[in-house]
Amino acid sequence: MDYQAVLDEVAATVAPQVGRGQAAGYIPALAAVDLGGFGMAVADVDGSVTGVGDWEVPFSVQSISKTFSLALVLAQDGESLWRRVGREPSGTPFNSLVQLEYENGIPRNPFINAGALVVTDRLQSLTGDAGTAMLEFLRTQSDNTAVAFDPAVASSESEHGDRNAALAHFMASYGNLDNPVPTVLEHYFWQCSISMSCRDLALAGSFLARHGVGSDGSRLLPAREAKRINAVMLTCGTYDAAGDFAYRVGLPGKSGVGGGILAVVPGRCTLCVWSPGLDLRGNSVAGVAALDAFTSLTGWSVF
Amino acid sequence: MDYQAVLDEVAATVAPQVGRGQAAGYIPALAAVDLGGFGMAVADVDGSVTGVGDWEVPFSVQSISKTFSLALVLAQDGESLWRRVGREPSGTPFNSLVQLEYENGIPRNPFINAGALVVTDRLQSLTGDAGTAMLEFLRTQSDNTAVAFDPAVASSESEHGDRNAALAHFMASYGNLDNPVPTVLEHYFWQCSISMSCRDLALAGSFLARHGVGSDGSRLLPAREAKRINAVMLTCGTYDAAGDFAYRVGLPGKSGVGGGILAVVPGRCTLCVWSPGLDLRGNSVAGVAALDAFTSLTGWSVF
Amino acid sequence: MDYQAVLDEVAATVAPQVGRGQAAGYIPALAAVDLGGFGMAVADVDGSVTGVGDWEVPFSVQSISKTFSLALVLAQDGESLWRRVGREPSGTPFNSLVQLEYENGIPRNPFINAGALVVTDRLQSLTGDAGTAMLEFLRTQSDNTAVAFDPAVASSESEHGDRNAALAHFMASYGNLDNPVPTVLEHYFWQCSISMSCRDLALAGSFLARHGVGSDGSRLLPAREAKRINAVMLTCGTYDAAGDFAYRVGLPGKSGVGGGILAVVPGRCTLCVWSPGLDLRGNSVAGVAALDAFTSLTGWSVF
Amino acid sequence: MDYQAVLDEVAATVAPQVGRGQAAGYIPALAAVDLGGFGMAVADVDGSVTGVGDWEVPFSVQSISKTFSLALVLAQDGESLWRRVGREPSGTPFNSLVQLEYENGIPRNPFINAGALVVTDRLQSLTGDAGTAMLEFLRTQSDNTAVAFDPAVASSESEHGDRNAALAHFMASYGNLDNPVPTVLEHYFWQCSISMSCRDLALAGSFLARHGVGSDGSRLLPAREAKRINAVMLTCGTYDAAGDFAYRVGLPGKSGVGGGILAVVPGRCTLCVWSPGLDLRGNSVAGVAALDAFTSLTGWSVF
């Protein structure tokens, strides 16, 4: 596959969509971003990386970090996590407290905020420092020691974090957090505030296409667990648009309100695309269009 | 692939699970079934069919018919259906009226009962006789003229159909049904009451693995549409267990409370498994286990 | 109390509000009504009736009939009704299916549509002809043999009755209806379509102010039961505005989308006001204002 | 009225019910209470107080304090409060986050926890020290300088306050709190932890029966506002049992999980009853029974 030719064609196809949508409004540090950015990278299972546009420009990973915290917990702790969080699509917008109440404090899946708070809580218990554990993992896998927290974003998240604080206290009231609420929130906001480029993220997510083997050649997870993370990404990875994303793109994917989307072609490659304009459901407009174009050109939908 | 060897091993593996669970209790004609049955069939994209156990014994297809009514409408009517029904997982049990109310009479997806009623309504408008249209399609694709409605099941569905009647009247109150409620219900119950074997269903669903080309070699749907039905099956096909099914089995699948499950390995084969004992979420206990064993043995998960 | 002077002052006070709001849009036979009508009547516990404006003009009683069907069932059947319907405010708009689903087919109270369908079902079982039973009761109590069903309204209700049909089938699916759904709906629509004037309704509701003794001097209910109907009217009688109605008016009241409101000053009088313009919650704009003015002038709030 | 005779008869009638039910389990400092206590007091509008049983034993007022914080805010701030909190019954259990989400952070009424947090927030803004403002008010009105916070209860509330913290953060995320969440929670927990006897509470609530005039003869509220608080008590004062309480007792009432209930016979007297055994909806078993007996003996239901 001539990735460069494909990416160039994808970029040309989606150019009219770059700049559409809106930046995430509820985090001031993100609201100021220039909407005109667009980048895309492909990390082949052979280890090579190819990119187009702003593929080496760092952006705020936001919810894409949920993929990595889930992987780190499953790697260290196996299936016991599923006693505290489900793996069903949520069927309602990503911050909803409704289902959490009807289901007694057990979040529907690890990719809604409530579920990611539980995963962060578990990672904190396992490592003693969830934020640092994730940062080290991402630096190693992306082979880039410049990967870092953005303190302005973290601070902005924390100042506007009442909804996540509500979720955390609510789960604590059901006994579904082991660490103090402020600790869990702090590490959760740190993870969301990590800055990485498309190149960094495609490499860091290589283990998802390589059946559990990281970009550095080490086995991070059993093949079965890596496949299962892909399954959760496909059914739950794009907020309340997971069905539509599967329908249009047909790949496991995890989006973030920073405008990034991580996607996987199992056995072939890991993709990352970024463009900060979001649709009404919180996914990058040009990013979804680019992945749609990529699967149309390559025929690499899982379906 | 030596399908017979694989199916034999699958059957041996799941034998302890056959008989577990319960028959669908709310339809008297189904409640009386013997729980000890088990059959499985594979229709390869080359047209060959292989089976094990009771793979030629007819059973009530129930919600598996929703896959075929969706395909028939998409084939004749294209994407306009999606103005009347969504394609997002429902996140609540399959008969729920709650989301239907919050979303103004637009069902979340075509595989919950409300969505299938809309699809049936559209098929009725397109064909003038939705029940006969589906029956003819299934007879042709399965190459079996003995495929037929079971009048006892249809009558039992109708007598115990107050929940579906409530759904239909509720959507009618939002203007989302074109035909009279009793007509839509009649054709819906007929479709659910069709009896087919694993062999018949695997053949009838071949177009899903053959990118839209039917078992008789004719093109039923564009490749893109066939892939999209697979996407909807994966995200919405197994009631409130779609996430868990994707996690464990990793294939597009559609289950029915008659104990059957239709599953697809895109580009390779279509599978059908049957065993009438259901788990709490309405899926065949031994059926899910058999598909899990099949993908473990073959490595053919889409992930 | 010089009722005539009070009513004249009330009418003058609310004159600017007559014509505001909208007629009930979902029943075509009601949508055509002239919004300029206004009438009000007071039936004192001594048996005298006083009125102002269009107080002798018949209008469609709609949900006000729910008060009388509840009284007839409690009179004949006592407290056993409460096993099939609750008496708590619903907290959501009056047709909502949501709470009905969460509470397994038991309606929150007898004044939401679902609850009134259960009451009608019980009245049908007790009398064999719920519609006629209510009509005879209302003719006797209002001393007016001209009280009658309006067949055009009944037919209009039936043609646009999908939401009520959905509610009835839904409760039937939980086993909470004894009679066939079409029978219950027919009698329910008949009751709603009765035409009466403010004079007729104030007299027919006299038993609520007279602690259970009807306008003809006969005891219809024990005093305790009559008080209890008043309690249900106050907490549940004006759809999702019961709290606001209690706050502003401070009397037990039951409204209908025909624009009428029946209200009770226990031990003193029964009031009926009518003006067809409705607010967003389905209550007569001028009607609520008139009752507010009445209690301000007389000081007769129960609080 | 010979209050002593009535109270003696009430106490004898309900004696078999004292000890039934359970103490509030979620606040450890309350869970340890002896279930055998029972007291009742009546403060006539003439200023006299009569009691029976443990009517001078202090207990934790808990949610009864919501009545007083509402009155203090309405007294200083008038109707503007209603832009931030509704006055409709909630229709779901008292801590529910569901309706709060569907209604964009506006609580249904001031007597559910979310609503009381908004009232406390407003009282804090108006007074600079909501806890002290309420304490001074209660000491003056009960003519008892010994009324005080119970620090053990306040500490216990705070330690087990994750659900209230979730509610407060959730409303803050909608911009419906002016003060910092920890400040609002601190004053809210203080108010709930005040200890008073039946005598103290009946006197402190005298203004509700005296149309706004306090037990010390000063006007606290306009008559109209006092009536309106009674209306909110009747429709919303006893959690999800308001309809049932109106049906059985027929008086405005506000209960607390400490086992107390404050009730009002407008124009006649204010009642307070206490017995710590609670029913499933959080109301005192013997307390409700005592008020039921009181209105049966006196005929003083508002209906």
Side-chain angles (χ1 to χ4, degrees):
Chain A
M1 178 68 57
D2 180 350
Y3 284 120
Q4 193 64 57
V6 171
L7 292 184
D8 290 346
E9 186 167 345
V10 166
T13 301
V14 306
Q17 310 227 39
V18 174
R20 291 195 186 159
Q22 297 199 305
Y26 60 92
I27 306 172
L30 294 183
V33 76
D34 172 13
L35 290 184
F38 173 82
M40 190 169 180
V42 185
D44 191 86
V45 291
D46 69 8
S48 62
V49 195
T50 313
V52 71
D54 304 319
W55 70 296
E56 292 176 299
V57 174
F59 59 89
S60 189
V61 303
Q62 296 294 316
S63 290
I64 298 175
S65 63
K66 293 174 168 69
T67 314
F68 301 107
S69 53
L70 175 62
L72 288 171
V73 168
L74 292 180
Q76 295 191 40
D77 212 26
E79 300 277 308
S80 64
L81 176 70
W82 305 117
R83 288 196 294 265
R84 293 176 55 190
V85 58
R87 49 190 185 240
E88 293 304 323
S90 68
T92 45
F94 60 108
N95 271 320
S96 176
L97 281 156
V98 175
Q99 281 187 312
L100 199 52
E101 183 163 18
Y102 286 122
E103 298 178 343
N104 300 311
I106 304 293
R108 293 283 291 183
N109 66 66
F111 289 162
I112 53 173
N113 288 10
L117 286 162
V118 170
V119 173
T120 299
D121 178 64
R122 185 65 193 140
L123 187 59
Q124 178 67 14
S125 295
L126 290 168
T127 65
D129 185 345
T132 300
M134 177 171 297
L135 194 60
E136 288 176 359
F137 172 83
L138 294 172
R139 285 176 172 171
T140 300
Q141 292 298 317
S142 66
D143 194 23
N144 181 357
T145 55
V147 168
F149 299 119
D150 181 332
V153 173
S155 165
S156 190
E157 302 258 12
S158 179
E159 280 165 27
H160 298 83
D162 275 311
R163 228 161 218 275
N164 286 309
L167 289 168
H169 280 291
F170 193 56
M171 291 189 293
S173 78
Y174 285 105
N176 200 13
L177 288 185
D178 295 328
N179 295 282
V181 166
T183 303
V184 175
L185 288 172
E186 181 186 17
H187 285 272
Y188 176 78
F189 292 139
W190 275 352
Q191 291 171 18
C192 291
S193 74
I194 293 173
S195 279
M196 295 175 78
S197 67
C198 290
R199 176 206 161 276
D200 297 337
L201 280 163
L203 280 171
S206 283
F207 70 96
L208 295 166
R210 289 158 62 106
H211 302 315
V213 176
S215 67
D216 60 349
S218 65
R219 174 159 294 283
L220 304 173
L221 286 163
R224 190 175 184 90
E225 291 296 327
K227 288 186 181 186
R228 285 175 161 183
I229 295 174
N230 287 335
V232 180
M233 291 173 77
L234 196 139
T235 52
C236 313
T238 43
Y239 308 126
D240 197 33
D244 193 58
F245 188 84
Y247 188 87
R248 287 181 58 194
V249 174
L251 295 178
K254 181 75 206 81
S255 57
V257 294
I261 309 176
L262 183 72
V264 183
V265 186
R268 296 191 188 266
C269 63
T270 300
L271 298 151
C272 184
V273 62
W274 169 71
S275 189
L278 305 181
D279 62 26
L280 294 175
R281 296 194 279 193
N283 298 308
S284 169
V285 173
V288 173
L291 291 168
D292 189 359
F294 182 89
T295 53
S296 294
L297 287 169
T298 58
W300 284 357
S301 144
V302 301
F303 302 116
Chain B
M1 179 67 58
D2 180 349
Y3 285 120
Q4 193 65 57
V6 172
L7 292 183
D8 289 347
E9 186 167 347
V10 166
T13 302
V14 306
Q17 309 228 38
V18 174
R20 289 193 187 161
Q22 296 201 304
Y26 62 92
I27 306 172
L30 295 183
V33 74
D34 172 13
L35 290 184
F38 173 83
M40 190 168 181
V42 185
D44 190 86
V45 291
D46 69 8
S48 64
V49 195
T50 314
V52 72
D54 304 321
W55 70 296
E56 293 177 300
V57 174
F59 59 89
S60 189
V61 302
Q62 296 294 317
S63 290
I64 297 175
S65 63
K66 293 174 168 69
T67 313
F68 300 108
S69 53
L70 174 63
L72 288 171
V73 168
L74 291 180
Q76 295 191 42
D77 212 25
E79 300 277 307
S80 65
L81 176 70
W82 304 117
R83 289 196 294 266
R84 294 176 54 191
V85 60
R87 49 192 184 238
E88 293 304 323
S90 69
T92 45
F94 61 106
N95 272 319
S96 176
L97 282 156
V98 176
Q99 282 187 310
L100 200 52
E101 182 163 20
Y102 286 123
E103 298 180 342
N104 300 309
I106 305 293
R108 294 282 291 183
N109 66 64
F111 289 162
I112 53 174
N113 288 9
L117 286 162
V118 170
V119 173
T120 299
D121 178 63
R122 185 65 193 144
L123 187 59
Q124 177 67 14
S125 295
L126 290 167
T127 64
D129 185 346
T132 300
M134 177 170 297
L135 195 60
E136 287 176 358
F137 172 83
L138 294 173
R139 284 175 173 172
T140 301
Q141 292 298 317
S142 66
D143 194 25
N144 182 357
T145 56
V147 168
F149 299 119
D150 181 330
V153 172
S155 165
S156 189
E157 301 258 12
S158 179
E159 279 164 28
H160 298 82
D162 274 312
R163 230 160 214 275
N164 285 310
L167 289 168
H169 280 290
F170 192 57
M171 292 189 292
S173 77
Y174 285 104
N176 200 12
L177 288 185
D178 295 327
N179 296 282
V181 166
T183 303
V184 175
L185 288 171
E186 182 186 16
H187 285 271
Y188 176 79
F189 292 140
W190 275 352
Q191 291 172 19
C192 292
S193 75
I194 292 173
S195 279
M196 295 174 79
S197 67
C198 290
R199 176 205 162 276
D200 297 336
L201 279 164
L203 280 171
S206 284
F207 69 97
L208 295 166
R210 289 159 61 109
H211 302 315
V213 176
S215 66
D216 60 349
S218 65
R219 175 159 292 282
L220 304 173
L221 285 164
R224 192 173 180 90
E225 291 295 329
K227 288 185 182 187
R228 286 175 161 184
I229 295 174
N230 286 335
V232 181
M233 290 172 78
L234 195 138
T235 52
C236 314
T238 42
Y239 310 124
D240 197 32
D244 193 58
F245 188 83
Y247 188 88
R248 289 180 58 192
V249 174
L251 295 179
K254 181 73 205 85
S255 57
V257 293
I261 309 176
L262 183 73
V264 183
V265 186
R268 297 191 187 266
C269 63
T270 301
L271 298 151
C272 185
V273 62
W274 169 71
S275 189
L278 306 181
D279 62 26
L280 294 176
R281 296 194 278 195
N283 298 308
S284 167
V285 173
V288 173
L291 292 168
D292 189 0
F294 182 90
T295 54
S296 294
L297 287 169
T298 59
W300 285 358
S301 144
V302 301
F303 302 115
Chain C
M1 179 68 57
D2 179 350
Y3 285 119
Q4 193 64 56
V6 172
L7 292 184
D8 289 346
E9 186 167 348
V10 165
T13 301
V14 305
Q17 309 227 39
V18 174
R20 291 194 186 159
Q22 296 199 304
Y26 61 90
I27 305 172
L30 294 182
V33 75
D34 172 13
L35 290 184
F38 174 82
M40 189 167 181
V42 185
D44 191 87
V45 292
D46 69 8
S48 62
V49 195
T50 313
V52 71
D54 305 318
W55 70 296
E56 293 176 299
V57 174
F59 60 89
S60 189
V61 303
Q62 296 294 317
S63 290
I64 298 175
S65 63
K66 293 175 169 67
T67 314
F68 300 109
S69 53
L70 175 62
L72 289 172
V73 168
L74 291 180
Q76 295 191 40
D77 212 26
E79 300 277 307
S80 64
L81 176 69
W82 305 117
R83 287 196 296 265
R84 293 178 54 190
V85 60
R87 50 189 184 238
E88 293 303 323
S90 68
T92 45
F94 59 108
N95 271 322
S96 176
L97 282 156
V98 176
Q99 282 187 311
L100 199 53
E101 183 164 20
Y102 286 123
E103 298 179 342
N104 300 311
I106 305 293
R108 293 282 291 184
N109 66 65
F111 289 162
I112 54 174
N113 288 10
L117 285 162
V118 170
V119 173
T120 299
D121 177 64
R122 186 65 193 141
L123 187 59
Q124 177 68 14
S125 295
L126 290 167
T127 65
D129 185 345
T132 300
M134 177 171 297
L135 195 61
E136 286 176 0
F137 172 83
L138 293 173
R139 285 175 173 172
T140 301
Q141 292 298 317
S142 66
D143 195 24
N144 181 357
T145 56
V147 168
F149 299 119
D150 181 331
V153 173
S155 165
S156 190
E157 301 257 12
S158 179
E159 280 165 26
H160 299 81
D162 274 312
R163 229 160 216 276
N164 286 309
L167 290 168
H169 279 291
F170 193 57
M171 292 189 292
S173 78
Y174 285 104
N176 200 12
L177 288 185
D178 295 328
N179 295 283
V181 166
T183 302
V184 175
L185 288 171
E186 182 186 17
H187 285 273
Y188 176 78
F189 292 139
W190 276 352
Q191 291 172 18
C192 291
S193 75
I194 292 173
S195 280
M196 295 175 76
S197 67
C198 289
R199 175 205 162 276
D200 297 337
L201 279 163
L203 279 172
S206 284
F207 70 96
L208 295 165
R210 289 158 61 107
H211 303 315
V213 175
S215 67
D216 61 349
S218 66
R219 174 158 294 282
L220 304 174
L221 286 163
R224 190 173 183 92
E225 292 294 329
K227 288 185 182 187
R228 286 175 159 182
I229 295 174
N230 287 335
V232 180
M233 292 173 77
L234 195 137
T235 52
C236 313
T238 43
Y239 309 126
D240 197 32
D244 193 58
F245 188 85
Y247 189 87
R248 288 180 59 193
V249 174
L251 295 179
K254 182 74 206 80
S255 57
V257 294
I261 310 175
L262 183 72
V264 183
V265 186
R268 295 193 188 264
C269 63
T270 301
L271 298 151
C272 185
V273 61
W274 169 72
S275 189
L278 306 181
D279 61 27
L280 294 175
R281 295 195 280 194
N283 299 310
S284 169
V285 174
V288 173
L291 292 168
D292 189 359
F294 182 90
T295 53
S296 294
L297 287 170
T298 58
W300 285 357
S301 143
V302 301
F303 302 116
Chain D
M1 178 68 57
D2 180 350
Y3 285 118
Q4 194 64 58
V6 171
L7 292 183
D8 289 347
E9 186 166 348
V10 165
T13 302
V14 305
Q17 309 227 37
V18 174
R20 291 193 186 161
Q22 296 200 304
Y26 62 92
I27 306 172
L30 294 183
V33 74
D34 173 13
L35 291 184
F38 174 83
M40 190 168 181
V42 185
D44 191 86
V45 291
D46 69 8
S48 64
V49 195
T50 314
V52 72
D54 303 320
W55 70 295
E56 294 177 299
V57 174
F59 59 90
S60 189
V61 302
Q62 296 294 318
S63 291
I64 297 175
S65 63
K66 294 175 168 69
T67 313
F68 300 108
S69 54
L70 175 62
L72 288 171
V73 168
L74 291 179
Q76 295 191 41
D77 211 26
E79 299 277 308
S80 65
L81 176 70
W82 304 118
R83 288 195 296 266
R84 294 176 55 190
V85 60
R87 49 189 184 240
E88 293 304 324
S90 68
T92 45
F94 60 108
N95 271 320
S96 176
L97 283 156
V98 175
Q99 282 187 311
L100 199 51
E101 182 162 20
Y102 286 122
E103 297 179 343
N104 301 309
I106 305 293
R108 294 282 292 184
N109 66 64
F111 290 161
I112 54 175
N113 288 9
L117 286 162
V118 170
V119 173
T120 299
D121 177 65
R122 186 65 193 142
L123 188 59
Q124 177 68 13
S125 295
L126 290 167
T127 64
D129 185 345
T132 300
M134 177 171 296
L135 195 60
E136 286 176 359
F137 172 83
L138 293 173
R139 284 175 173 171
T140 301
Q141 292 298 318
S142 66
D143 195 24
N144 181 358
T145 55
V147 168
F149 299 118
D150 181 330
V153 172
S155 165
S156 189
E157 300 258 12
S158 179
E159 280 165 26
H160 298 82
D162 274 311
R163 229 160 217 274
N164 285 309
L167 289 168
H169 280 290
F170 193 57
M171 291 189 293
S173 78
Y174 285 105
N176 201 12
L177 287 185
D178 295 328
N179 296 283
V181 167
T183 303
V184 175
L185 288 171
E186 181 187 15
H187 286 272
Y188 176 78
F189 293 140
W190 275 352
Q191 291 172 19
C192 290
S193 74
I194 293 172
S195 280
M196 296 175 78
S197 67
C198 290
R199 176 206 161 277
D200 298 336
L201 280 163
L203 280 171
S206 284
F207 69 96
L208 295 166
R210 289 159 61 108
H211 303 314
V213 176
S215 67
D216 59 350
S218 65
R219 174 159 293 281
L220 304 173
L221 285 164
R224 191 173 181 90
E225 292 295 328
K227 288 185 181 186
R228 286 174 160 184
I229 295 173
N230 286 335
V232 181
M233 291 173 77
L234 195 138
T235 52
C236 314
T238 42
Y239 310 123
D240 197 33
D244 193 58
F245 188 84
Y247 188 88
R248 288 180 58 193
V249 174
L251 295 178
K254 181 74 205 82
S255 57
V257 294
I261 308 175
L262 183 72
V264 183
V265 185
R268 297 192 186 265
C269 63
T270 300
L271 298 151
C272 184
V273 63
W274 169 70
S275 189
L278 306 181
D279 61 27
L280 295 175
R281 296 194 280 194
N283 298 308
S284 168
V285 173
V288 173
L291 291 168
D292 188 0
F294 183 89
T295 53
S296 294
L297 287 170
T298 59
W300 285 357
S301 144
V302 301
F303 303 115

